[in-house]
Amino acid sequence: SMSVVLSYEQAGRIARLTLSRPEAKNALRPADWQQLLLHVDDIARKPEVHVVWLSGSGGAFSSGGDLKTMPQRLAMPIAARREQLLRDSRVILALQQLDVPVVAAIPGVCMGAGLSLALSCDLRLASESATFGAVFHRVGLSADFGLSWLLPQAVGTAKAMHMLMTAAVLGAQDARACGLVQEVHPDAELESAALALCEKLARGPKLAQAMTRRALGRAATSDLATMLEWEAHSQSLLSKTADAAEGVLAFSEKRPPNFRGE
């Protein structure tokens, strides 16, 4: 059985989640998705966490849903299968609804629902040997775990259509070129690059980061006029925070700001 390990670093500011079922390239079964959701819900209740770091062990991120146990899921009555999918995919929404930035470090295979999981994170770093694919059509199924929304958000509708229809597998450089990931690092440097990014985010202005996550999430289904109104509202609230006062003071004093998340 897989354990989703939750460990903290840097005085509790970084919550690290590691998928560790290397014998199956971190394929996730229903119980594993549920365990991941419990951890994400737990993190949401911890004000001391400033950033979430999601990664996979054994040189893989996640190969997605577990195909070995798929026949029994295909055999379920339609209503039961639908309920299971809704329940298991709640972790995608939970990650999107966190108020802290989420970083995915992708050391290898990132396929199917594993790609959905990566795309539900805010920032994605890949190793040079990482591979990406929306490969559902290979087994006669279509995208799930939010991929039909998340993939076009990341790469645009035309590219998403091409990826899904051809079930193509992309290397890390192609993934960066089309927007699946933002950074590519040599395999041996992925870990340190992810830690450095998480530490940088953990020093950032927590309340402003929360507003930015919400703004971009909202913008996907809003228009410019609505967002101008929403920005004016959130910016006026942030204007009263200690971090904004500190940020402006630090700028005028030509020094790095010391944000406290207040």
Side-chain angles (χ1 to χ4, degrees):
S1 73
M2 175 188 134
S3 68
V4 175
V5 182
L6 183 64
S7 57
Y8 290 98
E9 299 172 63
Q10 202 205 314
R13 281 192 165 189
I14 300 173
R16 182 166 185 185
L17 287 163
T18 306
L19 305 174
S20 46
R21 201 184 159 218
E23 73 283 359
K25 293 199 163 97
N26 303 330
L28 301 172
R29 300 156 296 191
D32 303 324
W33 290 109
Q34 290 301 309
Q35 191 182 13
L36 190 54
L37 175 64
L38 288 174
H39 282 313
V40 173
D41 283 345
D42 186 48
I43 287 167
R45 292 189 290 268
K46 289 195 157 105
E48 68 271 20
V49 172
H50 285 226
V51 57
V52 177
W53 176 4
L54 180 61
S55 60
S57 65
F61 182 73
S62 174
S63 56
D66 190 24
L67 281 175
K68 281 206 175 80
T69 57
M70 187 60 88
Q72 67 206 53
R73 290 199 291 287
L74 297 182
M76 293 169 76
I78 290 173
R81 178 72 179 128
R82 182 178 169 276
E83 287 309 307
Q84 183 183 59
L85 281 163
L86 276 172
R87 189 171 65 241
D88 292 350
S89 61
R90 268 175 50 213
V91 68
I92 302 295
L93 208 52
L95 280 164
Q96 287 266 299
Q97 289 172 343
L98 284 173
D99 269 335
V100 295
V102 184
V103 173
I106 303 160
V109 65
C110 181
M111 302 280 174
L115 181 58
S116 304
L117 186 59
L119 290 173
S120 71
C121 303
D122 302 306
L123 300 166
R124 291 173 293 282
L125 293 70
S127 76
E128 284 174 341
S129 61
T131 54
F132 301 82
V135 292
F136 296 90
H137 286 192
R138 289 185 183 182
V139 293
L141 295 169
S142 65
D144 58 13
F145 283 78
L147 197 69
S148 56
W149 191 87
L150 294 162
L151 188 58
Q153 285 291 315
V155 303
T157 303
K159 180 68 177 174
M161 185 71 81
H162 189 264
M163 285 181 67
L164 282 159
M165 286 295 177
T166 63
V169 173
L170 278 59
Q173 299 300 346
D174 286 341
R176 178 172 57 186
C178 73
L180 282 180
V181 299
Q182 291 93 29
E183 297 180 22
V184 176
H185 298 276
D187 292 13
E189 292 167 28
L190 179 65
E191 182 92 357
S192 56
L195 178 60
L197 178 58
C198 288
E199 286 177 337
K200 179 183 171 67
L201 293 168
R203 290 191 296 270
K206 192 181 188 196
L207 299 170
Q209 288 171 340
M211 289 297 197
T212 292
R213 281 187 106 247
R214 289 187 186 190
L216 293 183
R218 198 168 281 243
T221 54
S222 284
D223 58 25
L224 178 59
T226 305
M227 290 315 299
L228 284 166
E229 200 170 311
W230 198 88
E231 286 173 351
H233 177 66
S234 57
Q235 196 75 304
S236 57
L237 292 175
L238 288 170
S239 298
K240 297 298 178 195
T241 62
D243 279 354
E246 161 64 9
V248 172
L249 184 65
F251 179 79
S252 66
E253 292 178 358
K254 295 185 169 62
R255 60 173 176 84
N258 178 29
F259 294 127
R260 295 198 310 274
E262 295 160 10

